[in-house]
Structures are given as structure tokens and as C-alpha cells.
Amino acid sequence: QVQLVESGGGLVRPGGSLRLSCAGSGRTFSSYAMGWSRQAPGKEREFVASINWNGVMKVYGDSVKGRFTISRDNIKNEMYLQMNSLKPEDTAVYYCNADLSPSTIRSGRGSQYWGQGTQVTVSS
């Protein structure tokens, strides 16, 4: 009942910024916790950030704290990830996801709904 589509990925220099967007559809979009996970080649999918249904509670993975900011707009059915001070180790496919359980979001995998992913490459 929820469909998710990411956009905004691309190639950026170390220290640069990108803003990812996730467009959602479905009648109960605002009922879901949402988040971002990422997966680099040869690595397991990693939790990046989560946000609860009304945007008040935000949790970040240790590797992105202080650099990334998650937000959502339930009126527009959109979620965002502002990524600053990007590092080469941030290179990965970033996946928008949604689940009724915030803890599932924070696990990095297992969410009920997933977008197709958007590539972020940080390279000089």
C-alpha cells in the first residue's frame, strides 16, 4: 500500500553535499516510520537514518551523525536526506524505506517497503 521512489543521487567531491528525496504514495503514508539505508559493493546493507511518523524523533547511524539530516513532509508525502561533508566511504546505493516499526528501520533491513535505490558516489 506504500510505494517509494528515490531521487537526487549522483557524483560529488569529498566534502560536498547532496540532498536525496523519497517520494511516497499510499493512503497511509503518514502512519509509517521511514528511513534510509545504504549498501556499498561487497558490504551488508547499513542503517543510515530514521524518522518517526511526525518527524519529531530522528536517529542516525554513528558513521553519519553530525553530517546527515533526515526530514519528512507528510503533506507532500516526501522524505529527505541532506548529506553534508561527504566522504568517499559514503559511496553506496541509498535506499528509502518505510515500516510501522521504527526499530525495523534502524536495523537497516527488513522494512516492509523499499524504494529502488539511488547511487551516491563520493570521489575526487
Side-chain angles (χ1 to χ4, degrees), residues 5 11 26 29 36 39 41 44 46 67 72 74 98 107 111 113:
V5 179
L11 175 65
F29 180 85
W36 296 89
Q39 189 164 22
E44 295 294 315
E46 175 190 26
R67 300 188 297 120
R72 68 189 295 168
N74 288 340
S107 77
S111 294
Y113 302 103

Side-chain angles (χ1 to χ4, degrees), residues 20-71:
L20 306 183
S21 297
C22 175
S25 62
R27 295 184 181 276
T28 59
F29 180 85
S30 65
S31 297
Y32 289 84
M34 300 187 71
W36 296 89
S37 293
R38 66 188 183 186
Q39 189 164 22
K43 295 185 177 180
E44 295 294 315
R45 193 165 296 191
E46 175 190 26
F47 166 71
V48 174
S50 68
I51 187 167
N52 78 324
W53 71 273
N54 64 0
V56 172
M57 180 65 70
K58 302 175 182 179
V59 179
Y60 298 93
D62 289 342
S63 63
V64 306
K65 287 180 179 177
R67 300 188 297 120
F68 291 10
T69 302
I70 190 170
S71 60

Side-chain angles (χ1 to χ4, degrees), residues 9 39 76 86 105 112:
Q39 189 164 22
K76 296 182 178 180
L86 283 162
I105 301 292
Q112 186 174 6

